[in-house]
Every structure is written in structure tokens, then in C-alpha cells.
Amino acid sequence: MAMQLIEVVIGGVILGGLYALVAIGFNLQYGMARIVNLAYGEFLMGAAFAAFWTFTLLAVSPILSLALSVPVTFAANWLVYRYLMAPLVRRARDREQLEGETILATFGLLFVLRGAATLAFSANNRYYDYLGAPVRILGFTYAANRVLAFALACAFGVAVWLILTRTRFGAALRALAIDPVGARLVGIDVRGMSALAFAGGGALVAAAGTLVSTFLSFNPAIGIEFTMKALVVVIMGGVGKMMGSLVAGLLLGVAESLCSFYLDSGLTLAVAYALFLVVLILRPRGLFGTR
Amino acid sequence: MRARTAATAIAGPPLVLLVAILACLPWLLSDYELSLALHLLSYLTLTVAWAMFSGTTRLVSLATSAFFGVGMYTVAMLVKLMPLEAIFAVAAGIGAVLALVVGIVTLRISGMFFVIFGFGLSEMMRQLMVWWEINKTFTMGRYVRVNFDNTMIYEHLLGLCVLAFAAGFLLRRSRLGIAALVIGEDETVARQVGIDVPFVKLAIFVLSCVLMTLVGAVMAPRFGFINPNIAFNPLISFQVVIMALLGGLKRLWGPILGVLPLIALSETLEVEFPFWYSILLGLVFMAIVYFLPRGAVGLIDDAWERLGRPMELPRGYTGWLRDAGAGVARAWAWLSRPRTLPGGFTGPIEGWAKRQWRRLVPEER
Amino acid sequence: MAALLEVSGLRKAFGGLVAVNDVSLAVSAGEVLGLIGPNGSGKTTLLNLIAGSLRADAGTIRMDGEDVTRLPNHKRVRRRINRTFQLVRVSKDIPVIVSVMAGLLHGAERAPYKDASYDAAGILGELNLLLKAGQRLDQLTYIEQKRVELARALATRPRVLLLDEWLSGLGPGELDGGMSVVWSLAAQGIAVILVEHVMTAVRALCGRVAVMNAGAKIAEGPPDQVLRDPEVIRAYLGDADA
Ligand SMILES: Nc1ncnc2c1ncn2[C@@H]1O[C@H](COP(=O)(O)OP(=O)(O)O)[C@@H](O)[C@H]1O
Ligand SMILES: [Mg+2]
């Protein structure tokens, strides 16, 4: 019984690593570029399809598709910021108005992208079998693809962490998250940095999409669920706080894993919400929020 | 005050007449037209209910379909157990409780949390219902077979719609409504004039959600077969937001201007380009956000503004009567202005007639 | 005379910065208490604490004998404490009269709806704003905006009024008008705390002045006496000679 519990929790950590990656990307967009992007998950879905086609048509490892989908999504998100978000940033009177308008605009974008994907790929569920073989870790068995996904997610997470803490660029980004006005005053190009942060967030979610596709079935409608989980995790961990996203993402993964083991795997979103509610009630400013 | 009462008195009888005519429509329309009318009326009511909360407090609610679905599902589950009208009451109660829970948890904190929560609420409800159906009742979807034809649905929807408009009208002239306006403008000021901000938001939110739930409940018999995917369809939230934004949020009648063209558009799109539907709707939505942020109402208001108001007095939210008066006065002034045309209005026509006449009958020399 | 508003031991820190440090004050009905001090000395923060826009870390606030320290902002308004904002909060969409009506409807007396617009017009009339009633705040001049702030506060029928640099930015002619408004507030029995840099106004209006520096109250007394206090002069001119 206890062994089973440990197995489930480790499974949850593996899943949570991915959620953390998705949430960190979202946090780059929301915490640093100050854009609430409801179409965020659609890019995950796009990358998942890219991986699917690379694997089924070219019969090469879906991991290779990262080389394509990450830069493409980076560029696409940069363009989205530059041409769709920047006008809203310019005309917003205050942060609240900006949030409201970006929510609406990206809500429209969500339906455009999802519609396009449905048109192109049909609404069918897709699945491919890549590294499905079990591996043993600490005496428990897990699918190899999940473990690989977790490892790569960790690699991406570490890369983001290094960029944020070890480079001038990262320092500027962190300044942006804390105080955009102050950042401008010390000579940071806020508009340009925001565009890069936004694009970077997109690149991370594309990476996550590729990894997700190796072990979950997907269809054009999955984006919204990941967007929501990213939102929940970011709010729980604190806007602009990468460590918070990591911890909250792992927490969500474990909670979900426990839920699908003890209750039902169809209730994952309900678990995310329940967790969200508990955190909101106990700590209205997030897990690591300060008064 | 007096002008407002006068406006109400003047506008009252025609409105009553309009509602009476609308109530007779089911006996005049064909089946197809009636079903279109149902579609229209349900969206109009949802949009008015949405604008009631989101238009004044400016908190975007993406949870419409959750409440609509709750209404629908309540009917689907209880239809064999009690009479419909009783089920409607139960549905309203459930909607109110859900709205209270969501509101108490999220409205207290920040606008962002509320939006996010609403965004996922419908999807979560859908998951919960699917789980319930599969694991608890071993069904997938339910039939709603009751003696409640389209005419009955129509009359109920019309009642709800009138109720929604009346609530919106009264809200704009009440303690609560003024509070909501100030909150939408600036919450710090709202608190500083003594407004209990979370309470006001919650009260209006619950009212608006109960209306949405009832629309879902009344529409349930029309669907015949209901499963979680039908009831909790995120497209409904999406369409309601577009319609409200297209119409504009500043006025009570804004939703009418949004719902009519978008229903027409979506009917066409769904028939002509079924696969492109979501894309085109998304593009329309983005176009509205970017190019028409204040909606059709904003356009009309701007047009009036340009014509120039005679005096800046408090508009009191029923300034139209005075606007109409001003319009008449302007038209009058324009008509009575000295014309540059020597022959007055009819001068050119006379001149033309004379020339024709001369061509036919050469002048005597 | 018993004090209407009593503040004792109030403290507020933002992170490591103690913006208000153990401040005690009292003001009674009909009195104008001046509150002066260099920029950043914590005057606005103190007003925020009294009005309830911020929660105090320590200390108590008593209004008419009742402890209001834990009450939220809007409930203190209903206990008849109100304030104007140092930076005018400019509304963009609603007319001036609506915000004044909101004050009447939700303030201490919760006027019935049918009287609200009439009473609001009365308040605006007293402040010479009647002709601006239908305009939005951003269409008004700075001075008119400041008067609207006051009208909005008065609509809630306060007995304690906190004016945050309400007279600043007025020209010489306008200053007299502004001062007479404050004077008439006091004459109506309202207790006024006047945060102000305009010393002529402080001398003319205030029977008593409290001086803040770096979060602490450093002096209190009649204006002439306080303004001669060496510690006060040092606070304003810097520590060069200390
Ligand atoms: N919300 C806040 N967060 C952090 N520091 C603040 C905040 N409000 C005020 N301060 C700081 O508190 C100090 C006192 O400010 P304030 O009360 O505005 O002074 P005054 O009104 O006397 O000029 C200043 O150093 C200011 O920077
Ligand atoms: Mg100040």
C-alpha cells in the first residue's frame, strides 16, 4: 500500500515536471511581458501535432521535431506580441485594462487557432507509440517516454533558470517582472524585452507540447486544458515567481496522479480547481505570496 | 427626476405593446422562424444577463456556458421526477448557490482570479458530469421528453428576456447599480464612498448567473437529448462575450445591436462554412476587440457627440429623449437656415423643369 | 472637549521601511489639525491608515469612542471618516454627479435613492460645481477636480475629514476660496486633518499643528511655536547643522 503510494507520487512528480515547464512559459508571458495569453495552450497543441507528423511521416524521433517547432513557435509568438499585443499595450490606460483587453484578444485567437487545427487535422484523437517500453526506477516501473519527457523538461527548466539568473538579459527580465516602470527608467528596452519574454514563453510551451505528445493522446481541443492548468499553477505559485511555478506545478502533478489513482482519471481538471480553491482560501496571494 | 419619469411614461406603452406583439409571434411564424427566434431570444437574454455584471463591473466573465449548462443539466436529471416549473425553481437555486461559491471565493481577491476561474469552470463542470454519468448512473446523456413545445419555450424565454431587461433597467436606477458603475470606474474610489465592493459584485453576479441558469433550463426541452458536451459548450461563453462587446456595454439596449447581427452571421457561417466557423468567429471577435472596443453603442454615441449636444447636463442614463428633442431642434434649425440656393429647396427642381419645358416649347421671340 | 478621533501608537512598515512609526494624534469636532512634514515623511500613509485604505501593523484608531482599527475602508466611511486623495482619482466614464450620488447612497446616511440626485446637486452647488455635474472628471480643470474630490467625500456626511494636500496647486486667488471652504467645514463641526505644504494656509486655518519626520511625530502645538522648534527646522532643512 505504502509502496503503491510512493509509486503514484513519483508518477505525479514526473507529470508535474511537465506542468511546471508549461507554467514557467506562461509565467514568462504573464509575469514578465504582462500578457494573459488564453491561446497559450494552442501552441502546445501545435507542437504536439508537429511531433506527431514527424514521427508518423518521417519515422524519426519526435524529439527531433523540437528543432523545428521550438524556433517556429518562438517566432510566431514574437509576431503575436509585436503585431497583436503591442497595440493593446500602447492603448491601455492601466494594468487592469491591459489584462482585460489581452484576455479578450487572445480568447479570439484561441478560437482561430483551434479552428484552424480542426480544419487541418480533424477533431480526431491522435496517438503514437514512442518509447512506450517500461523502465524500472527505484524498483517501480514507468513508461520510458514519460521519464524522458521529465528529464527533458528538467533540462529546459534548468536552462531557463540559468538564463534568468546568470545573464544580463535575465537580470533585465527579472527587473521587468518586479517593476516595469522602474525597468524603463534604468534604460531597459521594455517593449523589446517583453516581446522576447513572450516569445520565450511560447518556445517553452512548444517544447512541452512535443514532450506531452509522446505519452498522451491529443486532439485540437486540448489547448484550453493546458492553458487553464498553467493559469492555475502560475496563480498558485505567484505571478512572476519561477520557483513558485515549479513547486506549484509539481504539486498539481502529484495531486492529479493521486486523484486518477484513487478516484478517476477523468477528474484531473476538477482536482486542479480544488487545489486552486484551497490555495486561494488559505493563501489568497499564492503559495509564496507576501502580504 | 421629472424628465426621467416623463421618459418612462412615454416609452412605457410602446414597450408594453412591443412585448405583447412579441408574445403573439409563435402563432404567426413558421417552424423554422420560430426556432430562429428561440435562438435569438436565448442569446439576447444571456447577453443582457452577462452585460448586467460584466458591463458595469468590467470583470469579464467567461463562465456563461457553465451556468447555462447547469440549468440544462438540472432539467435533464430531474425531468422524470417533478413538473418542469418546479425544476426551473430548483435550477435557479443551484445556479445561485454555484454563483455564490464562485463569487465568494474569487471576487474577494482580484479580477484576474475571477476571470481565470470562470474560464475553466465550464470545462470542469463538463468533466464532473461525464464522471458522474459514467461512474454513478452508468449513462451517457439523457433524453428530455416533456410536453413543452417550442411555443412554450418561446413564451418562457420572452418572459426571462423581459425580466432581464427590467432588472437591468432597475439596476441602473438603484443604489446597487450606481455602486456597480463606480466600482467599474475605480474600486478605490468606490470603497472611499462607502461601497461594500465585494458584496455589490457578488449580488449582481448572482443575479446575472441565475438568469443564465434559467435560460439553460428553459432551453433544455428544445434539445431533446442532452449530454455533458452539449450542455457545457464553451462556444456559448465565447459567443455571448462577442455579442455583448459588439453591441457595447454602456447602454441597456446594447446587446440587441450585438445579438442580431451575430446571430445572422453565425447562422450563415454555420450553413455556408461549417468548418471555418470557429476561425471566422474568432476573427470577428478579434476585429471587434481591436477596432470597435466600445461596440456599436460607442459608434452611435460618438455620432451623437459629433452632431454636438446643445448643453452638457447630466444625461441621467435616459438622455435619449432630450437627444431626440435636440435632434428635432437641429433638424428644424437646419431646415430654417437661409439657403444658398436662390430658389429654396424646390429651386433646382423648378429650374430643371423650366429648362425641360423650354426645350419642348421654344420661347417666343 | 473630548476628542472625536483618537489615534494612538499607529505603525506601518513596508518591508524594511517604517513609513509610520508609533504616531498618536487626536482631533475634536470643529477643529482643524495641521499635519506637516517633508516629502516622504509618512503623512499620506498615516491618512491611509486612518481612512482604512491600509491596515495598521500596530496601534488603535478610535472614532467617537468606538474602536475602528480593524474595520475595512467602506465601514469607516459609514462611521463618518472620509478623505480626499493626494493624487486626484480621475474617472473617465461616469459623470461627476454619479460619484457624488454614490457617496450619498452608500455613505453614513444612506440617503433614499429618490433624494440622491437632488441632494447631490445641492452639494455640487455649494462647491460651485453645479454646471459641471454632467461632465466627466477628466473634462474638468485641476481645481475643479479637487473640489469634486471634496464633494464626493462630503456626500458621505463625514464628521472627520482628512484632506491630503487639498490646497496645493491652487493659485493665490483660488487659495482664498479653498481656505474658506475648509473654514466652513470646520464651522459645520467637522474635524479636519489638513496635510499641507502651503504654510500661509496652515497658519491661518490650524489651531494646532503636528509635524512628522521619517515616520515619527516630532512636534505638536500651535503653528507659530511649532514652526520655530529647532528640531522641526532641522527636519525641513536637513541635518547639516545637527
Ligand atoms: N504602498 C507603498 N509601498 C511601499 N512604500 C510606500 C508605499 N506608500 C508609501 N511608501 C513609502 O512610505 C514613505 C512615506 O510616504 P508618504 O506617506 O507618501 O509620505 P508623504 O505623504 O509624507 O510625502 C515613503 O518613503 C514612501 O516611499
Ligand atoms: Mg503625501
Side-chain angles (χ1 to χ4, degrees):
Chain A
M1 194 61 215
M3 290 308 273
Q4 227 170 17
L5 190 66
I6 296 173
E7 179 172 7
V8 170
V9 168
I10 295 180
V13 169
I14 291 179
L15 186 64
L18 224 73
Y19 287 153
L21 184 65
V22 174
I24 287 172
F26 192 85
N27 216 344
L28 281 175
Q29 296 196 334
Y30 182 30
M32 311 220 159
R34 314 258 156 191
I35 305 286
V36 183
N37 181 6
L38 295 189
Y40 182 68
E42 307 312 305
F43 293 98
L44 180 142
M45 177 267 292
F49 270 100
F52 173 76
W53 291 118
T54 351
F55 185 74
T56 40
L57 294 183
L58 307 177
V60 292
S61 159
I63 304 303
L64 287 181
S65 76
L66 280 175
L68 178 73
S69 53
V70 167
V72 167
T73 318
F74 183 91
N77 275 272
W78 191 84
L79 291 172
V80 166
Y81 186 87
R82 184 72 189 69
Y83 291 102
L84 292 179
M85 298 301 126
L88 299 181
V89 173
R90 245 173 274 132
R91 86 178 183 202
R93 292 192 299 234
D94 50 38
R95 176 124 188 234
E96 249 138 59
Q97 196 195 356
L98 179 64
E99 273 176 1
E101 293 209 325
T102 51
I103 283 173
L104 291 175
T106 55
F107 195 43
L109 187 63
L110 159 99
F111 281 85
V112 173
L113 294 178
R114 185 207 274 203
T118 315
L119 196 62
F121 310 128
S122 87
N124 295 339
N125 261 322
R126 305 302 176 119
Y127 182 77
Y128 61 91
D129 195 12
Y130 172 71
L131 287 184
V135 290
R136 292 188 68 79
I137 297 173
L138 303 174
F140 306 113
T141 31
Y142 298 100
N145 48 27
R146 285 190 181 240
V147 177
L148 177 67
F150 179 70
L152 285 175
C154 288
F156 277 108
V158 169
V160 170
W161 183 72
L162 286 178
I163 290 176
L164 281 180
T165 51
R166 296 292 155 86
T167 63
R168 280 180 67 84
F169 175 70
L173 276 182
R174 280 182 295 140
L176 208 61
I178 294 164
D179 182 0
V181 180
R184 194 192 324 272
L185 291 180
V186 296
I188 294 172
D189 170 14
V190 171
R191 194 71 50 76
M193 292 299 270
S194 297
L196 287 178
F198 191 85
L204 285 187
V205 80
T210 311
L211 302 179
V212 163
S213 73
T214 60
F215 63 89
L216 284 183
S217 71
F218 53 92
N219 61 45
I222 55 159
I224 203 167
E225 188 173 333
F226 281 94
T227 308
M228 268 165 33
K229 284 179 183 164
L231 272 164
V232 166
V233 170
V234 167
I235 297 284
M236 280 199 303
V239 177
K241 300 200 173 76
M242 298 299 155
M243 261 334 216
S245 293
L246 179 63
V247 175
L250 291 176
L251 201 62
L252 179 64
V254 171
E256 246 178 42
S257 184
L258 287 173
C259 163
S260 44
F261 184 73
Y262 288 107
L263 279 170
D264 190 289
S265 59
L267 287 178
T268 53
L269 207 61
V271 171
Y273 260 61
L275 200 63
F276 188 40
L277 272 183
V278 171
V279 171
L280 277 190
I281 291 167
L282 297 182
R283 303 202 54 122
R285 295 186 183 236
L287 286 174
F288 305 99
T290 43
R291 277 259 162 207
Chain B
M1 276 289 115
R2 191 165 299 141
R4 187 174 298 164
T5 327
T8 320
I10 292 170
L15 281 178
V16 172
L17 191 66
L18 179 69
V19 172
I21 293 173
L22 286 176
C24 297
L25 276 187
W27 289 276
L28 304 174
L29 298 178
S30 69
D31 281 352
Y32 168 73
E33 287 161 349
L34 184 59
S35 78
L36 195 62
L38 290 183
H39 196 44
L40 227 148
L41 217 47
S42 62
Y43 271 101
L44 185 59
T45 314
L46 287 176
T47 310
V48 173
W50 188 88
M52 193 181 289
F53 177 74
S54 296
T56 44
T57 60
R58 302 202 191 161
L59 288 165
V60 177
S61 164
L62 301 177
T64 310
S65 64
F67 290 94
F68 181 86
V70 163
M72 205 168 227
Y73 233 86
T74 311
V75 173
M77 291 177 88
L78 298 180
V79 72
K80 297 206 182 88
L81 304 179
M82 41 173 112
L84 262 184
E85 304 291 343
I87 304 179
F88 292 162
V90 174
I94 297 178
V97 170
L98 183 63
L100 265 176
V101 172
V102 172
I104 286 174
V105 175
T106 59
L107 286 174
R108 189 169 57 101
I109 306 171
S110 94
M112 199 50 219
F113 288 3
F114 171 77
V115 177
I116 293 166
F117 208 83
F119 181 56
L121 189 63
S122 163
E123 183 64 15
M124 183 186 77
M125 296 298 298
R126 193 188 64 79
Q127 271 197 1
L128 277 177
M129 286 324 298
V130 169
W131 175 77
W132 179 267
E133 295 262 14
I134 292 175
N135 293 296
K136 299 289 161 181
T137 56
F138 310 107
T139 47
M140 194 60 214
R142 293 147 184 277
Y143 289 93
V144 181
R145 297 243 172 75
V146 273
N147 195 10
F148 201 70
D149 61 3
N150 280 357
T151 307
M152 286 296 279
I153 298 177
Y154 177 90
E155 299 297 349
H156 277 76
L157 275 182
L158 186 64
L160 277 179
C161 189
V162 170
L163 201 66
F165 269 109
F169 180 83
L170 293 176
L171 204 54
R172 276 157 195 261
R173 282 154 193 75
S174 67
R175 204 182 285 277
L176 203 61
I178 297 270
L181 276 177
V182 179
I183 291 173
E185 189 63 49
D186 186 337
E187 285 193 14
T188 309
V189 168
R191 278 189 290 273
Q192 202 55 58
V193 291
I195 294 169
D196 186 346
V197 175
F199 172 80
V200 169
K201 283 183 185 168
L202 190 64
I204 300 179
F205 183 61
V206 170
L207 178 64
S208 133
C209 290
V210 166
L211 282 169
M212 292 173 177
T213 313
L214 282 173
V215 174
V218 170
M219 284 297 274
R222 186 168 152 57
F223 281 70
F225 176 77
I226 291 170
N227 67 27
N229 296 337
I230 295 175
F232 299 97
N233 175 2
L235 210 58
I236 295 177
S237 308
F238 179 49
Q239 283 171 327
V240 165
V241 180
I242 315 183
M243 288 171 182
L245 289 186
L246 176 63
L249 300 173
K250 260 182 85 179
R251 316 236 166 221
L252 187 59
W253 41 269
I256 301 177
L257 299 183
V259 171
L260 287 177
L262 273 168
I263 292 280
L265 181 77
S266 69
E267 286 282 315
T268 332
L269 290 183
E270 262 193 312
V271 175
E272 305 285 332
F273 314 100
F275 300 111
W276 292 82
Y277 183 63
S278 162
I279 303 182
L280 292 174
L281 217 56
L283 288 175
V284 169
F285 185 73
M286 290 175 73
I288 294 171
V289 173
Y290 282 96
F291 303 116
L292 213 63
R294 291 191 301 138
V297 166
L299 282 185
I300 295 176
D301 281 354
D302 285 352
W304 271 119
E305 202 90 23
R306 267 198 296 281
L307 283 174
R309 288 211 212 100
M311 252 195 305
E312 279 288 354
L313 277 181
R315 291 179 54 76
Y317 301 95
T318 39
W320 336 331
L321 191 66
R322 222 189 25 255
D323 282 353
V328 170
R330 261 192 302 273
W332 189 257
W334 188 77
L335 287 174
S336 58
R337 211 162 56 191
R339 299 284 118 202
T340 43
L341 299 170
F345 243 139
T346 51
I349 305 173
E350 274 171 32
W352 179 80
K354 268 183 196 152
R355 278 195 300 282
Q356 301 303 314
W357 184 247
R358 276 201 205 105
R359 278 204 351 232
L360 291 175
V361 188
E363 240 171 296
E364 287 169 39
R365 305 225 164 189
Chain C
M1 196 167 12
L4 184 57
L5 178 82
E6 274 182 273
V7 171
S8 63
L10 221 50
R11 177 189 163 90
K12 178 75 188 178
F14 298 110
L17 177 91
V18 184
V20 170
N21 193 1
D22 196 17
V23 172
S24 303
L25 282 178
V27 55
S28 43
E31 187 188 6
V32 182
L33 171 69
L35 184 61
I36 63 175
N39 276 325
S41 57
K43 306 180 295 290
T44 299
T45 308
L46 179 60
L47 294 198
N48 282 336
L49 292 175
I50 298 175
S53 315
L54 291 173
R55 282 294 174 84
D57 297 340
T60 54
I61 303 162
R62 292 185 157 275
M63 172 70 189
D64 211 5
E66 183 192 2
D67 186 354
V68 297
T69 322
R70 301 266 135 233
L71 291 185
N73 201 173
H74 70 271
K75 290 212 172 131
R76 293 195 208 181
V77 172
R78 293 179 192 173
R79 301 289 192 286
R80 298 181 188 269
I81 302 176
N82 213 322
R83 57 93 62 86
T84 62
F85 292 98
Q86 181 176 358
L87 301 170
V88 180
R89 317 260 337 176
V90 180
S91 66
K92 299 108 192 165
D93 272 345
I94 57 175
V96 165
I97 194 164
V98 171
S99 56
V100 178
M101 279 170 70
L104 285 158
L105 292 169
H106 292 272
E109 286 177 5
R110 296 181 71 80
Y113 187 82
K114 63 178 171 35
D115 299 341
S117 62
Y118 184 80
D119 293 351
I123 292 175
L124 288 173
E126 279 170 32
L127 291 168
N128 256 336
L129 286 167
L130 198 50
L131 289 177
K132 311 289 177 183
Q135 295 190 351
R136 286 175 283 119
L137 216 47
D138 59 355
Q139 295 170 321
L140 307 185
T141 65
Y142 180 65
I143 295 150
E144 287 164 348
Q145 289 178 352
K146 291 218 143 188
R147 284 177 178 252
V148 172
E149 285 258 306
L150 184 62
R152 199 162 62 195
L154 288 178
T156 64
R157 309 291 186 205
R159 290 176 66 198
V160 171
L161 193 56
L162 318 171
L163 301 180
D164 199 349
E165 306 200 7
W166 190 72
L167 293 168
S168 308
L170 304 188
E174 296 145 2
L175 188 60
D176 285 346
M179 279 164 59
S180 65
V181 169
V182 177
W183 194 253
S184 74
L185 295 177
Q188 289 165 37
I190 297 177
V192 179
I193 296 185
L194 183 75
V195 170
E196 203 49 72
H197 288 304
V198 184
M199 285 306 157
T200 45
V202 173
R203 281 179 203 274
L205 290 169
C206 306
R208 217 153 39 93
V209 175
V211 188
M212 285 186 72
N213 187 29
K217 188 174 86 173
I218 55 170
E220 185 175 338
D224 291 326
Q225 185 187 326
V226 163
L227 291 173
R228 264 187 274 119
D229 184 330
E231 199 184 349
V232 173
I233 294 170
R234 204 159 46 235
Y236 270 96
L237 299 179
D239 286 326
D241 53 352

